[in-house]
Amino acid sequence: MGMLNESASRPSISRAKRWLKRIGLGILVLLVLVVAVGTGYEMLGRLNAKEQYPPPGKLVDIGGRRMHIDCRGTGSPTVIFESGLGTGGTIDWTLVHDKIAGFTRACAYDRAGIMWSDPKSTPQDAAAVTEDLHATLKAAGISDPLVLVGHSIGGPYTRTYVGKYGDQVAGLVMVDPSHPDQVARLGQVVSVNVHPGRSSRLMHAASALSWTGIVRFMMTGNELPKLQTEADTRMAAEAMPKAFAYSSKSIKAATAELDGFDRTMAQARAVDSFGNRPLIVLTAMAPFKPEQLKALDITAQDAVRFKQTWQVLHGEQAGFSTRGRQQIVPDATHYIQIDRPDVVIGAVREVVDTVRADAKGGS
């Protein structure tokens, strides 16, 4: 009887195995199909991006790689915009670029692998950014005095540039800049890890999967910000579609910059003086919104201490120059050039005017 039951169960086991194989094969075919469709979607997206949003500036060769630099206006000194960590690049300066180009030459550029600039295979940090920028300016024929305008991590990048090529730099505007000691100092007053590397796994995963189209799909599905002001409308209409179109290309480069964060801070820390160059440090002091507190995983009390320490760190950076000053922007978040473009434009104009007065006085 036991033998009969065993014999009877064998066909059932065989059928189950066949069904499992079919299900597994079906899942595999589905995955292959999804990847194939996603890859095609990504390839088409990149082709469309090139056709719909060609580089607004020019591509200059710096030794086998092309860097995108967009110069507008005329006059000296030349303003150079250095964007923060992310995938926006030149797009981040949309609301201030033309206005500043109205009173001097103003150039935004994309770092390696961001937006229209070619990628690189070597590590990225402040020292590498410095060499790329120096080569880009040389290839673009820009040799007059510079006013460097650095946002967020662009602050340490411009600080490092002053340390290596300070003879070219006549003045600086730092737009809510990062500070080399911010992780340690902020970590003393808030209860969570404030190192940007905590998002490294997500960035690396997105970078590794960018060829499948998932990054483009997620970015395309993002909601545009609520259009409350003319600036919001312009950013949504002009800048964000371009940034979205190139996001899957740019994310690998942004991840490389994130990986080099600690090296960047160490390199910037080595430069502790700007001499007597005119310098304005803009500090964003708008209170964190509830959703920002949740994203940062900090309490309202932590947020107050965070902002107070952030202001102190910026005050220290303003002290790097004998002609440095800090300007508080109480109604702006980290992207001051978007929330209050007029403040950034005014600060750049002030530094440019001072540089011109210096030049006249020394002639």
Side-chain angles (χ1 to χ4, degrees), residues 60-143:
V60 297
D61 188 278
I62 62 168
R65 282 190 293 119
R66 298 173 307 164
M67 298 286 285
H68 172 246
I69 183 166
D70 181 7
C71 291
R72 306 175 190 177
T74 58
S76 182
T78 294
V79 171
I80 303 294
F81 298 109
E82 189 71 79
S83 60
L85 179 62
T87 59
T90 50
I91 298 304
D92 289 350
W93 304 101
T94 296
L95 300 182
V96 302
H97 197 164
D98 285 337
K99 293 290 182 65
I100 292 172
F103 55 83
T104 198
R105 178 164 60 172
C107 304
Y109 85 107
D110 294 312
R111 293 191 291 271
I114 302 293
M115 294 301 291
W116 293 282
S117 287
D118 290 341
K120 62 193 289 189
S121 58
T122 51
Q124 188 73 307
D125 52 33
V129 168
T130 290
E131 296 307 322
D132 277 358
L133 176 56
H134 183 255
T136 299
L137 296 178
K138 183 177 181 180
I142 298 172
S143 58

Side-chain angles (χ1 to χ4, degrees), residues 195-219:
H195 195 293
R198 65 179 184 167
S199 62
S200 180
R201 288 185 180 180
L202 180 61
M203 291 281 286
H204 275 277
S207 177
L209 294 173
S210 61
W211 62 275
T212 67
I214 188 170
V215 174
R216 185 178 301 278
F217 177 78
M218 292 176 66
M219 293 299 289

Side-chain angles (χ1 to χ4, degrees), residues 205-289:
S207 177
L209 294 173
S210 61
W211 62 275
T212 67
I214 188 170
V215 174
R216 185 178 301 278
F217 177 78
M218 292 176 66
M219 293 299 289
T220 302
N222 274 358
E223 291 185 3
L224 295 176
K226 294 180 180 179
L227 306 182
Q228 298 176 339
T229 67
E230 182 181 345
D232 288 336
T233 302
R234 186 176 174 194
M235 285 299 293
E238 295 183 25
M240 294 182 71
K242 296 176 185 178
F244 286 174
Y246 284 90
S247 59
S248 59
K249 168 189 177 293
S250 302
I251 194 164
K252 184 175 182 179
T255 303
E257 291 189 33
L258 180 62
D259 289 343
F261 180 85
D262 289 336
R263 293 193 307 275
T264 287
M265 294 304 166
Q267 292 157 0
R269 190 178 293 112
V271 182
D272 58 4
S273 175
F274 292 155
N276 69 341
R277 296 175 179 87
L279 163 68
I280 298 176
V281 179
L282 301 177
T283 304
M285 288 296 287
F288 288 124
K289 298 177 181 178

